[in-house]
Every structure is written in C-alpha cells, then in structure tokens.
C-alpha cells in the first residue's frame, strides 16, 4: 500500500512538472499543443497499465476481509472498509492538478494554432477590404460572375435562366406570373430591408392585375397602365423602388439583391434560403452588378 501511495504522489508531481515543462519557454518546439497531447496519452497509458496490472494481481491473490455493514441487498453485503489511501490521494491530487492547470499551467498567453489562424484570417480580410474598397464596374462584374458560379449556379443554372423554372430566371427581373402572384398574395419577405411589406390585392380588378403584371414583366416598356399608380406609391413612378418602403421591381439593384441574400425569399416558385454572412458586402454588390449585366434574353 505504501508503494501505491508513493507511486501516486510521484505520478501527480510528474504530470504537473511535465505539463509546465511542455507549456513553458523551456520547451524547444513551438508546437506544444501536440506535445501536450502526447504527454496526456502517455500518462493515460501509464496509469491504465499500472492500475490494471495491480488490481488483476490483487484479484488473484487477495481475499475480502473487514467488518460487514448491516444492510443487505439480495444477500449481497458491503464491507465498511475505508477508501484506499492511494486512491484518495490520487483523486485529490487530480483535482488540485486540474485547478492548477486551469488557472496557472494552461498556456493562455502562448502560441495557439487557432489564434494564429484567426490572426492570418483577419489580416487577409483587411487586405481584401483595402484592395476592393473602390472596385471598378468591370472588376465587380468579373467578381460577381465568379461568386455566382460558385454560390448561385447550382440552383439558378450556369446561364442564370433558372433550370427550366426550378428557380428564378435571373436574366429577367420578374415574370408576368410572378408579378400577378405578388399582387394577389402580397409579400413580406424582407422585414429588415423593407419592413412594411406588401399587402395582398392592392389591385382588385382582374384586367388591371393582368395589365400591370404584363407592364412590369416587360421591363416597364410601352404605355403605363393607369392602375400602376397604386404600385407607384411604394415602388416609384419608374419602378425603381424607395428605400425601406418598396424594392426595385425594374432591375436588380444592390438593395434588392442584398436583401434577398441576407433574408432569403419565398414566392411563386418556392423558397430561397438566406445566404447571410456567406458573402461580404463587396461580393454582394458584385453579384448585383453581374446580374444587371445579364440583361433580358
């Protein structure tokens, strides 16, 4: 028993000293995280081997002895033996080591691979922002095409025509069917960008709905229907929208593209999920620029 006590004390001291040695400046390698891992693995293997061998041998040779408690459970009794001193010291020592490691031993101010990655990422983002702070129209278009092909093409198609109606045809702002759907059902997709939303049936007459839908879908070409005056109150006389009131229903301006990317959209075709925080502001603006460059086909 004395040898177990001595072994437990030596093990605790070895773990504390080894951890400090690995985490301290004396360690010759900067990659102490992996060293700590290997040290922990070695300690676990050593402890497990020691415990298994000791108690396998004890089970073979020792016999139970001591005073039995009065309680019985299905004929099974329990001895009133004290906790082995070595177990108690090892348990208390492990708790002491835990608090020491959490408060003193853990290298909170040393090198960290995660910290290094964060520093490199932040540095790269700063360089990116500085490089693209005032990009030209051609630069935005090229960037937008690259982002589109990676993020948008899987649903909208490489040609942006919506893969046979499975997603929005981005070569046109809106189809006649989509405009009519919004007029009849209303829309409240963009609670942050356009919080008021649009109530359903702002136009009651079927002919007015058909005429306005055709006019908007045709890119505001031709004679403007008289009923469009109702729409102009929020979307403007030219359909180019009003900030925080109604979106641009003529072209894909920066505001509507950013709103769709950040908040998603539900409409006639289905629901588009939010892409919030997947693109930065420059990339969102670039996607809008690229979509505008596609034009009507």
């Amino acid at each position: 028993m004395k040898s177990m006590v001595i072994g437990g004390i030596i093990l605790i001291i070895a773990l504390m000293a080894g951890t400090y040695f690995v985490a301290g400046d004396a360690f010759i390698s900067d990659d102490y995280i992996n060293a700590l891992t290997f040290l922990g693995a070695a300690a676990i293997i050593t402890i497990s081997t020691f415990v298994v061998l000791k108690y396998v041998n004890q089970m073979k040779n020792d016999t139970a002895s001591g005073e039995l408690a009065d309680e019985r459970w299905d004929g099974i009794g329990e001895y009133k033996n004290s906790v082995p001193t070595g177990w108690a010291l090892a348990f208390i020592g492990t708790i002491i080591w835990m608090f020491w490691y959490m408060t003193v031993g853990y290298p909170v101010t040393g090198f960290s691979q995660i910290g290094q990655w964060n520093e490199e990422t932040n540095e790269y983002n700063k360089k990116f922002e500085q490089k693209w702070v005032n990009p030209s129209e051609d630069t935005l278009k090229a960037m937008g095409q690259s982002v589109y092909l990676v993020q948008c093409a899987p649903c909208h198609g490489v040609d942006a025509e919506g893969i046979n109606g499975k997603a929005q045809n981005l070569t046109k702002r809106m189809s006649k069917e989509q405009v009519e759907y919004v007029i009849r059902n209303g829309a409240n997709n963009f609670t942050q960008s356009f919080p008021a939303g649009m109530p359903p049936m702002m136009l009651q007459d079927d002919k007015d709905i058909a005429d306005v839908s055709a006019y908007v879908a045709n890119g505001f070409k031709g004679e403007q229907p008289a009923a469009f005056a109702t729409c102009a109150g929020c979307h403007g006389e030219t359909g180019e929208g009003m900030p925080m009131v109604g979106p641009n229903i003529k072209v894909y301006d920066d505001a509507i593209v950013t709103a769709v990317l950040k908040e998603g959209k539900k409409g006639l075709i289905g629901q588009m999920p939010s892409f919030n925080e997947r693109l930065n502001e420059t990339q969102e603006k670039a996607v809008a620029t690229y979509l505008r460059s596609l034009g009507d086909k």
Side-chain angles (χ1 to χ4, degrees):
M1 186 61 69
K2 290 183 178 180
S3 62
M4 184 177 177
V5 173
I6 296 174
I9 295 174
I10 293 175
L11 180 61
I12 294 169
I13 296 174
L15 282 174
M16 295 179 67
T19 306
Y20 181 78
F21 175 73
V22 171
D25 296 333
F27 192 62
I28 57 176
S29 172
D30 289 336
D31 191 9
Y32 59 82
I33 300 299
N34 287 331
L36 278 173
T37 303
F38 282 111
L39 178 63
I44 292 172
I45 293 172
T46 302
I47 295 171
S48 300
T49 303
F50 173 77
V51 172
V52 169
L53 291 177
K54 180 184 184 304
Y55 287 104
V56 166
N57 181 66
Q58 187 172 326
M59 284 187 290
K60 289 180 178 179
N61 301 309
D62 289 1
T63 57
S65 61
E67 182 183 356
L68 282 170
D70 295 332
E71 296 83 1
R72 296 287 190 275
W73 294 272
D74 296 331
I76 300 174
E78 181 180 8
Y79 286 105
K80 295 181 178 180
N81 296 334
S82 302
V83 176
T85 307
W87 282 18
L89 290 176
F91 180 72
I92 295 173
T94 302
I95 294 177
I96 294 173
W97 177 83
M98 177 191 71
F99 284 110
W100 170 83
Y101 184 75
M102 291 175 61
T103 56
V104 178
Y106 185 74
V108 293
T109 58
F111 171 80
S112 167
Q113 291 177 323
I114 297 177
Q116 183 185 38
W117 184 87
N118 288 334
E119 290 177 0
E120 291 175 353
T121 300
N122 291 335
E123 182 179 355
Y124 175 83
N125 287 338
K126 287 182 180 179
K127 290 181 179 179
F128 182 88
E129 292 175 358
Q130 293 173 357
K131 181 178 180 180
W132 304 111
V133 63
N134 289 311
S136 64
E137 190 78 5
D138 291 339
T139 299
L140 285 173
K141 180 181 175 181
M143 182 190 296
Q145 183 179 26
S146 299
V147 174
Y148 174 86
L149 291 174
V150 174
Q151 301 288 349
C152 313
C155 291
H156 296 278
V158 175
D159 56 7
E161 293 183 355
I163 312 181
N164 297 323
K166 294 180 180 179
Q168 168 77 349
N169 182 346
L170 297 174
T171 64
K172 299 179 180 296
R173 177 61 182 91
M174 298 178 75
S175 68
K176 182 176 182 294
E177 292 76 17
Q178 287 175 310
V179 179
E180 183 171 340
Y181 175 85
V182 174
I183 293 175
R184 293 186 182 278
N185 296 278
N188 191 26
N189 293 297
F190 314 121
T191 57
Q192 298 177 21
S193 305
F194 304 99
M198 175 177 168
M201 298 304 293
M202 294 290 289
L203 300 177
Q204 300 291 327
D205 185 76
D206 288 343
K207 185 177 184 306
D208 288 342
I209 294 175
D211 290 345
V212 170
S213 299
Y215 175 69
V216 173
N218 195 38
F220 288 76
K221 298 174 183 176
E223 184 179 355
Q224 185 180 95
F228 184 78
T230 302
C231 310
C234 292
H235 297 283
E237 186 69 22
T238 60
E240 295 178 359
M242 298 181 183
M244 301 299 291
V245 179
N248 189 325
I249 56 175
K250 184 176 182 180
V251 297
Y252 289 109
D253 66 357
D254 295 350
I256 186 61
V257 173
T258 298
V260 173
L261 289 173
K262 288 187 179 300
E263 302 183 53
K265 184 179 183 296
K266 183 177 180 181
L268 174 63
I269 299 174
Q271 184 165 354
M272 173 179 165
S274 168
F275 276 57
N276 190 31
E277 296 185 357
R278 291 180 63 173
L279 305 177
N280 58 41
E281 292 183 3
T282 303
Q283 290 172 320
E284 293 171 350
K285 184 177 180 181
V287 171
T289 303
Y290 175 67
L291 294 182
R292 288 194 294 272
S293 74
L294 296 177
D296 292 341
K297 296 182 181 179

